[in-house]
């Protein structure tokens, strides 16, 4: 049982929350209440999440020497010796095998498999080399989120607005650069570098980038809400949901620049009650406004 816990830690299931972006196209297309579509999306979500877990294990396998010198990462299963190299390789093989079977059986569109394959190759390249190149490392992370949205659109057979692609890309950049700021801040404070590419960043540069991206996220969402396409489908009141988006961005800026805890976006999302309330408020307001316009 203890060994299973170590394997589970290697897989990082908490990071699967990122893969909920697969459900976004169906949500905006009002298909999220269709049991058939929802089941299909969930099956692909699980398969894709197993692929992501295989990438995480591979990353830890390559970084084991560096992790052993890090005050926090040294407790990871591979770095601590709880899981050895051979066991990690077997786990990667099992995860990819199960994921392949699930995706082949459930992804009726061949382009879904192609995108998942591209995501896997891109992240292997990222782990081996590209994560050490500043700016490119963050762009690759953002592209990964866009690919998740494309997968969701193909699975649910939903047309993707250019606004949802832009918002996803810019929001992912905002979160990733906020995480880099935390890395740089910790490096300045402790002298311990979590990444080899930190020489390409400093706090002044990251403060400017994060501020610009926060602005673009808000502008993109407001333009989405007031676009003729959205007004024609959902009515004129969708812009009211931008209140929650603005509050969410400001809250995350506060966490990043004031409280200095932007190192793990997933942990923040799972633990910060204020952000959770904002997200739930946005979902309820969005659904409520759409429901009202459709039925009245």
């Amino acid at each position: 049982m203890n060994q299973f816990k170590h394997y589970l830690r290697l897989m990082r299931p908490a990071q699967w929350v990122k893969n909920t972006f697969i459900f976004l196209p169906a949500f905006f297309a009002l298909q999220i209440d269709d049991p058939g579509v929802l089941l299909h999306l969930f099956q692909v979500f699980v398969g894709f999440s197993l692929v992501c877990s295989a990438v995480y294990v591979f990353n830890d396998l390559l970084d084991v020497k560096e992790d052993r010198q890090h005050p926090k990462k040294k407790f990871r299963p591979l770095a601590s010796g709880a899981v050895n190299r051979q066991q990690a390789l077997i786990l990667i093989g099992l995860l990819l095998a199960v994921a392949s079977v699930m995706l082949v059986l459930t992804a009726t569109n061949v382009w879904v498999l192609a995108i998942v394959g591209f995501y896997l190759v891109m992240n292997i390249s990222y782990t081996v080399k590209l994560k050490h190149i500043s700016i490119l490392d963050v762009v690759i992370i953002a592209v990964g989120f866009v690919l998740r949205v494309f997968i969701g659109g193909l699975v649910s057979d939903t047309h993707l607005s250019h606004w949802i692609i832009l918002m996803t890309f810019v929001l992912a950049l905002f979160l990733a650069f906020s995480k880099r700021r935390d890395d740089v801040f910790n490096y300045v404070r402790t002298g311990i570098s979590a990444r080899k590419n930190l020489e390409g960043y400093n706090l002044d540069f990251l403060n400017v980038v994060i501020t610009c991206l926060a602005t673009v996220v808000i502008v993109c969402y407001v333009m989405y809400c007031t676009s003729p396409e959205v007004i024609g489908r959902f009515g004129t009141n969708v812009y009211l949901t931008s209140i929650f988006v603005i509050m969410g961005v400001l809250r995350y800026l506060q966490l990043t620049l004031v409280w200095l805890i932007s190192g793990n976006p997933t942990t923040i999302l799972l633990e910060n009650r204020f952000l959770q309330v904002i997200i739930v408020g946005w979902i309820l307001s969005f659904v409520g406004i759409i429901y009202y316009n459709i039925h009245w």
Side-chain angles (χ1 to χ4, degrees), residues 25-278:
F27 174 79
F28 285 111
L30 307 182
Q31 291 183 321
I32 204 68
D33 60 343
D34 186 322
V37 172
L38 194 59
L39 176 61
H40 198 187
L41 285 169
F42 180 75
Q43 291 169 331
V44 173
F45 165 84
V46 174
F48 183 76
S49 295
L50 294 178
V51 172
C52 293
S53 288
V55 172
Y56 293 138
V57 178
F58 180 68
N59 178 77
D60 285 0
L61 197 58
L62 290 191
D63 290 350
V64 64
K65 291 182 180 180
E66 290 82 1
D67 288 349
R68 285 172 180 165
Q69 300 174 5
H70 193 275
K72 294 182 180 179
K73 295 181 180 181
K74 65 181 180 181
F75 298 110
R76 287 179 174 179
L78 276 166
S80 66
V83 176
N84 61 44
R85 180 182 178 85
Q86 183 178 4
Q87 291 171 326
L89 290 172
I90 293 173
L91 180 59
I92 290 173
L94 287 174
L95 289 171
L96 291 179
V98 174
S100 298
V101 172
M102 287 193 66
L103 291 171
V104 168
L105 293 178
T106 58
T108 56
N109 192 320
V110 69
W111 284 106
V112 173
L113 302 178
I115 292 175
V116 173
F118 176 75
Y119 177 89
L120 181 60
V121 172
M122 182 181 72
N123 277 273
I124 290 175
S125 302
Y126 172 86
T127 301
V128 173
K129 180 66 176 178
L130 300 182
K131 70 178 181 180
H132 303 306
I133 304 175
S134 56
I135 296 183
L136 181 60
D137 63 324
V138 175
V139 171
I140 289 175
I141 292 173
V143 170
F145 280 90
V146 173
L147 293 179
R148 289 171 171 89
V149 174
F150 276 125
I151 290 172
L154 289 170
V155 173
S156 61
D157 194 23
T158 301
H159 169 72
L160 296 179
S161 164
H162 60 282
W163 290 117
I164 190 175
I165 302 300
L166 284 172
M167 283 189 294
T168 299
F169 182 69
V170 178
L171 177 61
L173 283 177
F174 170 67
L175 296 175
F177 272 114
S178 297
K179 187 178 188 303
R180 288 294 176 272
R181 189 190 185 283
D182 185 82
D183 293 334
V184 172
F185 177 79
N186 286 328
Y187 174 63
V188 171
R189 183 171 57 89
T190 65
I192 300 175
S193 177
R195 296 178 177 273
K196 296 179 181 178
N197 64 346
L198 293 187
E199 64 272 9
Y201 299 117
N202 61 36
L203 292 179
D204 290 335
F205 170 75
L206 290 170
N207 288 342
V208 172
V209 171
I210 292 167
T211 303
C212 290
L213 289 172
T215 304
V216 176
V217 169
I218 294 172
V219 170
C220 273
Y221 189 78
V222 172
M223 292 184 70
Y224 162 77
C225 291
T226 56
S227 66
E229 176 186 354
V230 170
I231 292 176
R233 293 185 61 194
F234 305 140
T236 58
N237 294 323
V238 179
Y239 76 93
L240 294 173
T241 63
S242 61
I243 296 172
F244 293 99
V245 173
I246 294 171
M247 288 177 61
V249 171
L250 292 178
R251 175 63 167 184
Y252 207 89
L253 279 173
Q254 183 187 47
L255 295 172
T256 302
L257 302 176
V258 180
W259 292 343
L260 309 173
I261 53 173
S262 59
N264 193 326
T266 303
T267 301
I268 292 173
L269 179 61
L270 294 176
E271 296 181 356
N272 193 278
R273 294 290 179 267
F274 194 97
L275 270 180
Q276 291 171 356
V277 170
I278 289 173

